[in-house]
Amino acid sequence: MTATAPREEQLWSRCAGCASLLYRKRLRRNLDVCPECGEHARLGAPERLRQLVDPGSLRPLSDRLPEMDPIDFVDVLPYPHRLTAARASTGLVEAVVCATATIGGHPVAVAVMDFRFLGGSLGCAVGELITRTAERALDDRIPLVLVTASGGARMQEGALSLMQMATVSQAIAALREAGLLTVSVLTDPTYGGVAASFATNTDLVLAESGARMGFAGPRVIRQVTGRALPEGFQTADFLLRHGQVDMVVQRRSLRGRLVALLAATRAGRPTCSPVPRQEPAPRRERLADDGAAAALPTDPPAAPASSEAGGTPAVRDGWDTVRMARHPGRPTTLDYLDSVFDGFVELHGDRLGGDCPAIVGGVARLAGRHVMVIGHQKGHTTAELVGRNFGMASPAGHRKALRLMRLAARLGLPVVTLVDTPGADPGVSAEEQGQAAAIAENILTLTVLPTPVLAVITGEGGSGGALALAVADRVLMLENAVYSVISPEGCAAILWPDRSAAPQAARALRLTAPDLCRLGVVDEVVPEPSAAAHDDPAETALRLRAALLANLLPLLDVPPAMLVRLRRQRFRRFGAARAGQRAGAR
Ligand SMILES: [Zn+2]
């Protein structure tokens, strides 16, 4: 898609669509759209801003953040080397440019991603900058416009990059509450964690002509399904046909459409009596060195027999742990519903046409208290695993979970989630049914759900599919579970010469419970019996039950508004500044 300049002269470009040789100045005058075939070449963030905002109105927001490499990631190159190279080749500090400006006279806060910078990947700095832009929109009571271009979350920052999906989503939730318009403009390409959060949980979603958007990329889906993809799969027109975007817009019309939409919302908003603004969450300093317990107003309960939470974490090999987390004998959500909870009554269906077997949920009792339990369901035999799609939820599954979360809040029931999934469903129909938006809506809803939410990573916590159930007041993790932004195999395939580097990738990603506890992603490690959960499910259940009770009971006394505020603080502190401190502290 990129127009490439011939070596001898910078005056000509070859169109990636029709291979025509085009005079660069003419191409630029045509907004980098090929006059011959209409191909929209990718734009860098500075050029995109020039095209969209009123001349002279751009006020860049600061992009100064501490240098960071939060998990000391090394593949064939150390991560800081890749960052330095990206900065040198783009002239940008990060993969997003943020500003305030006017568009057709309407003031906006705007963040534009740049795919040239490490594939537009969402890391802590990008998440922090976009969050600050959304907070600026809230402060100034102006709409937020996001222009996305991203391959997904930034693997080199591990689970901390996954957390950014929640951090930005909760900033968008605050704009929703304040009645301020949020608009995302999808440009080519928008995938993974960006697609499954702020690219699709805005009020309006516009797709630029030729843009492709999806949660799973076409290469992965082809590999998993072994089938050819439908014509035009994940393109803007495909997204429009499947109800996932409000409109497909040619680049030359984009600015005009934005002006019209911004004008409509401005006219509709009362100017004399604005919606009362929610008090901004104070940017609280971290309370505990290990990052745990910072979100609780009261003293955290004594860790139930946990030798690792806050103490000296055991050194555990990442790849060995991955294999343990995937063990077919490991207790599943239904096993725990039987052993840890009483009186489970399963509730089915998303009310939109499906009941996903990979997600189970319903009301149950935990030591006599009613709770809503929602979890991924795998299985022990091949038949069970196939029947449950290996615990990979479809959009119907995410929407069932969403329905049950909202029901729980209405009924005043706490939510307990049990997370065990390799990831969301990498299939054609899942994409057709709006997988990215389904995950994005769950993440956003959990950031504001007015009832206690307690999440436990019991086995595999696979990327956005896991996070869709794991934005919680307290996040626990079984000792041999893993939680990661990408599977080690997927990471190896992208950053190493081949997938056989999965064990190295598993170690580099810092996906074990002690690692994540140190990073503050997880609050407490639930120890497993000496061998592992699958060797002694009964003892594992006892320990999980004790940990659930110890963490849930203090939450029950916290007023819902306070819970939401503290949950927001919990996810707000995964920004680059904090991570920089963590990296520097080691
Ligand atoms: Zn062309």
Side-chain angles (χ1 to χ4, degrees):
M1 293 293 252
T2 351
T4 52
R7 188 179 294 267
E8 62 278 13
E9 288 273 8
Q10 292 297 310
L11 293 175
W12 297 88
S13 275
R14 192 173 294 284
C15 170
C18 67
S20 298
L21 206 54
L22 303 163
Y23 189 47
R24 268 213 68 76
K25 279 188 179 164
R26 181 177 170 224
L27 188 61
R28 206 20 63 107
R29 270 200 307 276
N30 206 39
L31 308 178
D32 282 79
V33 177
C34 172
E36 307 297 326
C37 73
E39 170 84 9
H40 285 51
R42 286 178 186 164
L43 293 182
E47 178 56 25
R48 173 72 67 179
L49 281 164
R50 262 193 292 280
Q51 292 187 11
L52 286 185
V53 310
D54 299 340
S57 73
L58 193 76
R59 301 283 176 275
L61 298 176
S62 164
D63 54 10
R64 290 167 64 90
L65 287 172
E67 201 60 30
M68 60 173 306
D69 179 12
I71 60 170
D72 301 324
F73 191 94
V74 178
D75 49 272
V76 291
L77 271 182
Y79 173 43
H81 292 204
R82 291 193 189 269
L83 270 178
T84 305
R87 284 177 184 147
S89 68
T90 60
L92 301 177
V93 174
E94 256 298 343
V96 68
V97 176
C98 303
T100 58
T102 59
I103 299 180
H106 305 292
V108 294
V110 56
V112 179
M113 303 186 82
D114 197 311
F115 192 76
R116 299 170 303 162
F117 195 106
L118 296 178
S121 53
L122 172 64
C124 293
V126 172
E128 175 71 20
L129 294 171
I130 299 176
T131 300
R132 286 182 192 173
T133 310
E135 289 170 347
R136 179 62 181 268
L138 186 65
D139 282 343
D140 292 0
R141 301 201 54 77
I142 55 179
L144 174 70
V145 176
L146 303 172
V147 181
T148 62
S150 176
R154 191 172 294 173
M155 290 170 284
Q156 294 92 337
E157 295 181 18
L160 287 171
S161 63
L162 190 65
M163 297 301 114
Q164 302 307 316
M165 295 167 69
T167 308
V168 180
S169 292
Q170 68 188 11
I172 288 177
L175 292 168
R176 264 195 204 180
E177 286 173 348
L180 294 167
L181 180 73
T182 56
V183 183
S184 79
V185 178
L186 309 177
T187 75
D188 194 62
T190 296
Y191 278 95
V194 170
S197 59
F198 54 88
T200 56
N201 58 21
T202 47
D203 296 317
L204 301 175
V205 184
L206 280 57
E208 185 174 62
S209 188
R212 289 162 303 154
M213 185 278 284
F215 183 61
R219 192 176 51 87
V220 170
I221 297 175
R222 243 189 327 260
Q223 260 172 19
V224 172
T225 61
R227 283 193 224 140
L229 300 175
E231 182 73 21
F233 185 61
Q234 294 179 327
T235 59
D237 292 320
F238 169 96
L239 297 170
L240 184 71
R241 247 191 343 270
H242 289 282
Q244 295 179 40
V245 298
D246 289 286
M247 63 190 83
V248 179
V249 191
Q250 298 276 327
R251 186 169 291 163
R252 65 168 178 276
S253 309
L254 191 53
R255 187 182 135 83
R257 285 303 175 89
L258 283 174
V259 172
L261 293 167
L262 292 166
T265 59
R266 196 181 213 192
R269 209 166 70 232
T271 47
C272 48
S273 57
V275 182
R277 241 206 85 169
Q278 221 208 358
E279 200 182 304
R283 284 173 206 169
R284 230 164 57 156
E285 291 309 304
R286 203 147 52 115
L287 299 181
D289 276 338
D290 61 0
L296 269 183
T298 51
D299 284 340
S306 171
S307 56
E308 305 198 59
T312 319
V315 178
R316 195 171 301 281
D317 178 70
W319 183 241
D320 289 345
T321 315
V322 168
R323 288 164 50 183
M324 203 91 95
R326 292 174 179 170
H327 195 285
R330 213 169 159 80
T332 67
T333 291
L334 284 176
D335 295 331
Y336 289 126
L337 276 161
D338 203 36
S339 56
V340 173
F341 301 87
D342 305 300
F344 174 56
V345 180
E346 188 170 358
L347 303 171
H348 290 275
D350 69 351
R351 299 295 190 271
L352 295 165
D355 181 43
C356 173
I359 295 267
V360 297
V363 288
R365 289 192 312 277
L366 178 67
R369 286 177 176 76
H370 283 98
V371 292
M372 182 72 79
V373 184
I374 307 168
H376 300 97
Q377 178 60 28
K378 285 185 177 174
H380 300 297
T381 66
T382 305
E384 282 171 358
L385 283 164
V386 170
R388 299 283 183 176
N389 197 25
F390 301 87
M392 298 186 292
S394 64
H398 290 121
R399 287 171 182 140
K400 171 163 69 176
L402 180 68
R403 186 173 78 80
L404 298 184
M405 290 168 199
R406 287 182 170 152
L407 176 62
R410 280 204 301 282
L411 300 179
L413 295 175
V415 174
V416 176
T417 64
L418 302 176
V419 175
D420 185 15
T421 179
D425 182 10
V428 169
S429 64
E431 294 293 321
E432 287 174 343
Q433 292 158 20
Q435 167 137 276
I439 293 172
E441 192 60 26
N442 283 22
I443 291 170
L444 184 143
T445 299
L446 278 171
T447 68
V448 291
L449 199 74
T451 197
V453 184
L454 180 56
V456 189
I457 318 293
T458 60
E460 281 183 282
S463 83
L467 187 69
L469 287 188
V471 180
D473 301 304
R474 299 278 292 169
V475 180
L476 313 186
M477 191 162 167
L478 284 183
E479 188 179 355
N480 293 310
V482 293
Y483 190 14
S484 179
V485 62
I486 187 171
S487 72
E489 290 86 348
C491 181
I494 297 168
L495 293 180
W496 272 266
D498 63 86
R499 296 171 83 84
S500 66
Q504 288 104 292
R507 286 164 205 138
L509 283 165
R510 318 264 176 194
L511 40 62
T512 68
D515 279 335
L516 294 166
C517 215
R518 248 194 318 271
L519 290 166
V521 171
V522 164
D523 299 301
E524 187 177 310
V525 182
V526 182
E528 294 185 21
S530 54
H534 59 264
D535 281 326
D536 194 347
E539 176 62 22
T540 306
L542 282 177
R543 294 179 181 202
L544 177 57
R545 191 169 190 273
L548 284 174
L549 277 171
N551 282 278
L552 187 61
L553 296 182
L555 296 174
L556 300 178
D557 298 328
V558 185
M562 169 83 87
L563 270 178
V564 170
R565 197 151 68 235
L566 293 169
R567 196 180 306 145
R568 282 180 170 178
Q569 282 171 18
R570 186 187 189 283
F571 284 88
R572 184 65 186 84
R573 67 193 158 88
F574 293 118
R578 299 239 68 89
Q581 279 176 18
R582 273 192 293 272
R586 275 204 312 274

